[in-house]
Amino acid sequence: MRITLVQGDITQQHVDAVVNAANSSLMGGGGVDGAIHRRGGPAILEECRMLRASRYGRGLPVGQAVATTAGDLPARWVIHAVGPVHSRTEDRSHLLASCYREALRVADEVGAATVALPAVSAGIYGWPVEDAARIAVATVRSARTRVAEARFVLFTPDVHAAFRRALEAAGPSDEEIAARLAAQPEERWRALFACADALTPADLEVSWRGGQELEPGVIQMPYPVYGEAVQRILGLLGELGAVVVFGWPDWVRGNPLWPDGRGLDDAPVADAARLATAIIRGERFSDGTIEQALDRGAFRAVLRRLRRWFDEERPATG
């Protein structure tokens, strides 16, 4: 999925779906919500009333999304997502992230390939713009979706600048990661897959050392010890550029690929690189992150996805 940024009016975007920063009532409001209802006309409100009369008698819950017609907008659907009001005493970031994940899920349901998104909760709901941008970009970047373009449409220069900084901090795009992988020498790929093919169940076993008292009152922290074959594969993943620089803790948070890699076979190859990054960097303190990846299948899922990309999807060279 390609993520783009535009400074402008979200009601003027020629896309398949426009995401509305709605309130729970679905009856319109101020800001983006009011602009979408005014420009889209009464057809949007009519479908919102029907939703209130059927599925959402108490209103659309915070963090959820639902689609209606786009009325007179240059789009096919409006996806209404209810963002949380910012709180200084309660962490509601999971609800803000859920708005974007649910909006993209609904976009997949209706078949939208291009989606315009606002800065949810960053207006009257008081969410600090820098944090709102970080959560939005990280969530959209990590979402499992068939949407081809997610276009953030930001109304003011300061919000646009905050999203640009967040996008830069989030690291390379899917396309950039795939190009980085494709540029690696074929010999390295073959060495990686030769190691993977030679793995035995014994190679995947992990032993723990440490834990003994070194001196009175001083206990050595336990640490995992991985087999030579696993260490070799981790090294080759790094050499191949699969360990990419990006905000992996944000990517991991709420990501369905973590920690077992289920569904990676159908994900972009860039997600195999990101998952490898999260596995390797998560082991910084020898806490058994790689053991978890071995035990739950993420290690093999990464290798399997990279192998299929190499055999079937890698651009021809030379």
Side-chain angles (χ1 to χ4, degrees), residues 214-292:
L214 301 178
E215 57 183 83
V218 179
I219 299 177
Q220 182 183 27
M221 289 190 63
Y223 60 92
V225 178
Y226 303 104
E228 183 178 336
V230 169
Q231 294 284 10
R232 174 64 175 150
I233 288 174
L234 293 171
L236 285 166
L237 285 173
E239 292 174 12
L240 287 165
V243 181
V244 294
V245 178
F246 76 110
W248 64 268
D250 283 335
W251 183 84
V252 164
R253 190 178 295 121
N255 194 304
L257 296 177
W258 178 265
D260 52 29
R262 283 184 296 178
L264 187 58
D265 287 347
D266 299 321
V269 69
D271 276 333
R274 295 188 180 104
L275 184 55
T277 300
I279 290 168
I280 295 170
R281 296 195 178 183
E283 187 73 3
R284 292 175 300 173
F285 303 109
S286 297
D287 62 358
T289 300
I290 294 172
E291 179 188 35
Q292 185 183 38

Side-chain angles (χ1 to χ4, degrees), residues 6 10 15 73 101 142 148 156 186 216 223:
V6 173
I10 198 168
V15 290
L73 294 174
R101 279 195 297 270
S142 66
T156 61
E186 187 168 314
Y223 60 92

